[in-house]
Amino acid sequence: MTDSDFSPDPLVDPAAMRKQYQAAGLDEKDLAAHPMDQFSRWFEDAARAALHGTLYEPNAMVVSTADAAGRPSSRTVLMKHYDTDGFVFYTNYDSRKARELAGNPYISLLFPWHAIARQVIVTGVARRTGRDETAAYFRSRPHGSQLGAWASAQSSVLSSRDELDATYEELDARYPEGEQVPVPPHWGGFRIAPETVEFWQGRESRLHDRLRYVAQPDGAWDVERLSP
């Protein structure tokens, strides 16, 4: 199809899509002193929205990395832990994101909680988790997900879906349900130590509230308001 053949349906024209955000605002005086405490408050709200069916997978986040030439890439990943030290996700260390982080540990995370008119945007530095922490999480995964960590050479090119399915079936025969699956040496976690954490609250007329925590050298956090 050439460019001249393309005719967008006016019913799905993105330029005409608008939604007014009616949510209450976000004020500096209402923020927690530490961004991870504020994140915990908002994550609990997102989790409650998920329980009511208004938001899907509140722990889903868009992870953005960049290669040595500065070319970015993004993908959706599930956050599996957070605490005062930051955010944790798990992946194949041979994947594109992990290879890019090996050369450039700076990373951005985005939690897109559109259903409740909120976003959280994080920038920081990613470091691998320890093997004991990785193993503990791996053991908590469903059996099929453990096999999947072995079956998928993440980000590599496949000849077909059949190739992936055949590898999984071989692993399933080798490690049936009830058998302990070893932790893959090429699989593990990343912990993101935040340098900035922005809390975005949708407001009417696109006059959104954006409050960003910025880490200081002494360990304190400054808060700045950004123009929407």
Side-chain angles (χ1 to χ4, degrees):
M1 182 174 67
T2 66
D3 289 344
S4 60
D5 294 325
F6 179 67
S7 179
D9 185 337
L11 293 177
V12 293
D13 178 7
M17 293 178 179
R18 291 181 176 83
K19 181 176 178 60
Q20 285 286 3
Y21 300 117
Q22 304 294 335
L26 180 62
D27 196 277
E28 288 85 343
K29 65 179 173 53
D30 297 323
L31 290 179
H34 196 283
M36 297 310 295
D37 291 330
Q38 182 64 33
F39 178 82
S40 183
R41 294 177 184 177
W42 272 28
F43 186 71
E44 289 172 6
D45 290 343
R48 281 191 288 269
L51 288 174
H52 292 112
T54 57
L55 190 152
Y56 185 67
E57 290 195 310
N59 61 326
M61 59 185 183
V62 178
V63 172
S64 298
T65 56
D67 65 15
R71 291 169 296 202
S73 62
S74 300
R75 72 289 293 162
T76 302
V77 173
L78 296 179
M79 176 191 67
K80 288 300 178 181
H81 180 71
Y82 70 91
D83 54 28
T84 55
D85 294 324
F87 306 85
V88 177
F89 70 88
Y90 292 87
T91 189
N92 187 313
Y93 285 145
D94 296 326
S95 65
R96 178 177 179 177
K97 58 183 167 299
R99 286 185 279 108
E100 290 182 348
L101 288 172
N104 175 9
Y106 294 99
I107 190 170
S108 175
L109 313 177
L110 166 64
F111 293 86
W113 298 327
H114 304 308
I116 55 174
R118 286 178 174 177
Q119 298 180 77
V120 178
I121 305 161
V122 179
T123 65
V125 177
R127 295 283 185 266
R128 291 189 180 189
T129 59
R131 292 310 292 174
D132 288 346
E133 185 175 353
T134 290
Y137 171 68
F138 185 81
R139 298 279 177 241
S140 74
R141 302 182 91 204
H143 181 73
S145 297
Q146 293 183 24
L147 296 179
W150 280 101
S152 172
Q154 197 173 86
S155 300
S156 64
V157 176
L158 282 167
S159 61
S160 68
R161 173 72 194 203
D162 290 343
E163 179 187 349
L164 179 64
D165 290 340
T167 303
Y168 182 90
E169 289 170 7
E170 291 172 7
L171 288 161
D172 194 27
R174 189 186 314 168
Y175 302 109
E177 190 77 47
E179 288 279 328
Q180 186 176 82
V181 181
V183 181
H186 57 270
W187 189 92
F190 281 101
R191 175 173 281 100
I192 292 81
E195 295 181 339
T196 68
V197 185
E198 177 187 331
F199 293 87
W200 181 102
Q201 175 68 70
R203 300 290 300 274
E204 286 191 76
S205 302
R206 297 297 184 259
L207 298 177
H208 313 306
D209 286 324
R210 298 175 61 191
L211 298 182
R212 180 170 65 186
Y213 291 79
V214 181
Q216 302 302 304
D218 63 358
W221 292 87
D222 285 350
V223 175
E224 53 193 15
R225 177 174 286 271
L226 304 179
S227 182

